[in-house]
Amino acid sequence: MTLPPPRFGSAGEHRLQQQLGTAERAARFYDQQVRPCLTPEMREFIGRQTMLFLATADSHGNCDSSFRAGPPGFVHVIDDHSLAYPEFRGNGVVASAGNITENPHLGLLFVDFTHDHVGLHVNGVAQLYTDAGLRSRHPGLPTGLAPGRGPEMWVRLSVEEAYIHCSKYIPHLEPAPRPGGHDAARPKDSDYFTGLGTPG
């Protein structure tokens, strides 16, 4: 008798679970915590977040991780099955968006270090849209997220799974004022690369 494929998790996950004897524990996690869409609590949580970490990979599986930030609501929950976040002008590399054009699978991690002390994983399939293109489909997208500039594009994610990351090891961080633009003690980006490429 052939069993149906598991609802959540990769084949690699399930093989290792069998080898390590954790399949029963993992099955409880999938059943109790993993959802195929965003719950009302998840939607509200996302609406309060000011940052996220994202993971992409190109068509060869080469991975990249990145960070996005904005005011609460910069990640816009469209409905239970989709959300969108803006991409603004940066260094011109567009590594994450470039990967999405080759491999649309996208993983997002929201972490609240100050209030709830939980993380929320949201995984799914992404598409890139122009600002006008996505607004024509979803007029409720937020505006004025970055004063004086608009998004170069939007990433719209069709949610396949969402689950809460255990709060046990998430540190508590206190928000602090942002350093001034001319703070002499604040390192410049280039300071982090001093000595790269020189003999050790």
Side-chain angles (χ1 to χ4, degrees), residues 192-200:
Y192 293 100
F193 305 105
T194 303
L196 286 182
T198 59

Side-chain angles (χ1 to χ4, degrees), residues 22 30 54 64 82 87 103-104 113 121 147 152 162 165 176 191 194:
T22 65
Y30 295 137
L54 61 100
D64 184 69
S82 58
E87 289 280 11
N103 175 355
F113 295 100
H121 296 255
E152 288 199 324
H165 184 102
D191 292 342
T194 303

